[in-house]
């Protein structure tokens, strides 16, 4: 897989680790992570970990409802026409 990690791969890893919590419980985890992120932004430190926790909990919530994260993005994230034909995924190489 090299330097590329797809959203589907991340979502599957979260599913394997997290299992399936109840909807209310998973939403509470996400809201707690959001609060931690707000505090990290206020302190201007620890934001990387807090963003990671938010993402993890967002993937877990999507798993709880059987939602494929990649299906959520086309309406929210503008993608240039030429990139729409490539495989879906994130490339973490420096710009």
């Amino acid at each position: 897989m090299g330097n590329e990690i797809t959203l589907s791969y991340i979502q599957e890893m979260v599913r394997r680790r997290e299992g399936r919590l109840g909807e209310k419980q998973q939403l509470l985890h996400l809201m707690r992570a959001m609060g931690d992120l707000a505090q990290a932004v206020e302190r201007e430190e620890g934001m990387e970990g807090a963003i990671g926790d938010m993402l993890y909990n967002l993937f877990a919530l999507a798993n709880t409802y059987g939602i494929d994260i990649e299906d959520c993005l086309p309406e929210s994230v503008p993608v240039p026409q030429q990139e729409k034909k490539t495989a879906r995924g994130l490339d973490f190489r420096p710009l």
Side-chain angles (χ1 to χ4, degrees):
M1 191 151 75
N3 290 337
E4 189 174 310
I5 299 175
T6 65
L7 296 175
S8 293
Y9 175 80
I10 296 169
Q11 189 164 9
E12 178 61 20
M13 293 300 101
V14 170
R15 185 192 64 74
R16 288 182 185 183
R17 182 166 187 233
E18 191 69 28
R20 188 175 193 281
L21 298 175
E23 291 85 359
K24 183 177 179 181
Q25 187 178 16
Q26 193 57 62
L27 182 60
L28 291 173
H29 283 271
L30 179 61
M31 297 306 291
R32 185 177 312 121
M34 183 180 286
D36 292 345
L37 176 58
Q39 289 177 348
V41 169
E42 180 72 24
R43 291 187 316 265
E44 295 186 7
E45 64 180 39
M47 287 182 273
E48 292 89 354
I51 288 171
D53 290 346
M54 275 286 301
L55 288 171
Y56 180 90
N57 283 287
L58 186 62
F59 277 91
L61 182 64
N63 286 341
T64 296
Y65 283 98
I67 296 170
D68 183 340
I69 286 286
E70 289 183 344
D71 292 339
C72 299
L73 294 176
E75 298 299 319
S76 301
V77 178
V79 179
Q81 290 295 329
Q82 68 224 33
E83 291 184 27
K84 286 185 180 180
K85 296 176 185 168
T86 61
R88 292 186 273 180
L90 295 177
D91 192 346
F92 291 98
R93 291 178 289 178
L95 297 174

